[in-house]
Amino acid sequence: AVFTPQHRPLAGRTAIVTSGPTHEPIDPVRYIANRSSGKQGHAIAAALARLGAEVTLVSGPVALRDPDCVHVVHVERAEEMRDAVLAHLPADIAVMVAAVADWRVASSAEQKIKKQPGEGPPVLQLTENPDILATVGHHANRPRLVVGFAAETQNVSANGRAKLERKGADLIVANDVSPETGIMGGEKNSVRLISRQGEENWPELSKAEVAERLAEKIAAMLG
Ligand code: CTP
Ligand code: CA
């Protein structure tokens, strides 16, 4: 697509995008996290901004520079990410791309946990993190368009469809993240769009191209 100044179908719209992993502390020096480069989420934030949207990007720790023309909020933990997202409601569009850690350590240690010779490794008690997409999807101030991702290693369609319903999303961008696909951390993505209207398979595209197409799709869905 060519982005002329005239082609700004999202002008006047606000969008919230999450991207990257979250880091859940075990102690001051250790954490639990998902694999995520943030490339896809950051590209989506930039693509929405290019179409004229006023974008807030809530990003976990990533090794990427902040995209131009996007308001970026940097967070570490899932609870911080949830709070930052809710603080930016109401919005017209929510695209939750972050690979949020599903669990955090129930009570992280204030001091570095030291190895205890003879006592064996510490046992970590985990607790579930808030589901940010589901919170937004079922919120009283729900954005008009709520988009989620589904990272799957099998049964992409069925799992994606279940997430669409469970989380109250309008659209799920599902992808196969099996290690052999090379999607994790790579430049390419191969996605399937799942909505209540049906499914759509996109060819293998760069993450930037997926972002552009998705932004166009979002603009079309908002009308
Ligand atoms: N998500 C979220 N908050 C969480 C977990 C997931 O906002 N605590 C969002 C992700 O950003 C993504 C979607 O939910 O848009 C699906 O994430 P995924 O990890 O695939 O789904 P889960 O519901 O966590 O299920 P599972 O990991 O068990 O497959
Ligand atoms: Ca998960």
Side-chain angles (χ1 to χ4, degrees):
V2 178
F3 294 101
T4 63
Q6 287 75 32
H7 185 68
R8 287 170 71 82
L10 293 176
R13 309 276 196 191
T14 53
I16 307 172
V17 179
T18 65
S19 182
T22 63
H23 285 182
E24 310 298 332
I26 296 171
D27 69 14
V29 302
R30 306 181 178 97
Y31 60 82
I32 298 174
N34 279 39
R35 290 187 195 280
S36 172
S37 66
K39 284 176 190 168
Q40 188 64 84
H42 277 54
I44 289 166
L48 291 169
R50 279 196 299 272
L51 292 194
E54 188 187 308
V55 182
T56 298
L57 172 62
V58 182
S59 175
V62 295
L64 300 173
R65 41 169 294 231
D66 292 349
D68 293 333
C69 306
V70 167
H71 170 57
V72 186
V73 180
H74 294 275
V75 299
E76 294 250 331
R77 299 179 293 107
E79 290 176 301
E80 291 171 349
M81 185 174 274
R82 187 247 347 250
D83 292 347
V85 166
L86 294 183
H88 286 85
L89 289 180
D92 299 301
I93 303 158
V95 190
M96 305 287 95
V97 196
V100 181
D102 292 311
W103 306 283
R104 67 178 183 277
V105 175
S107 50
S108 59
E110 271 173 41
Q111 303 297 331
K112 183 181 177 191
I113 300 170
K114 301 297 289 178
K115 285 177 288 183
Q116 300 292 346
E119 276 187 31
V123 174
L124 298 178
Q125 170 91 45
L126 301 182
T127 188
E128 199 161 315
N129 266 330
D131 189 316
I132 302 165
L133 173 58
T135 302
V136 169
H138 298 293
H139 200 275
N141 255 335
R142 184 190 189 278
R144 253 184 71 202
L145 197 65
V146 175
V147 182
F149 271 65
E152 305 296 344
T153 57
Q154 57 181 352
N155 304 329
V156 176
S157 254
N159 286 334
R161 195 154 286 287
K163 284 177 186 171
L164 179 82
E165 295 304 334
R166 179 157 44 88
K167 297 171 186 251
D170 301 296
L171 184 67
I172 289 284
V173 183
N175 57 6
D176 185 339
V177 293
S178 305
E180 61 271 20
T181 64
I183 284 172
M184 295 292 246
E187 295 299 330
K188 299 256 173 181
N189 208 349
S190 170
V191 304
R192 178 188 308 230
L193 264 62
I194 301 173
S195 72
R196 286 179 194 80
Q197 281 69 52
E199 297 193 13
E200 203 179 308
N201 274 313
W202 286 1
E204 186 176 88
L205 298 166
S206 71
K207 287 180 178 175
E209 287 166 328
V210 167
E212 268 186 34
R213 280 200 187 200
L214 185 64
E216 294 282 357
K217 174 105 191 163
I218 286 169
M221 285 174 85
L222 281 173

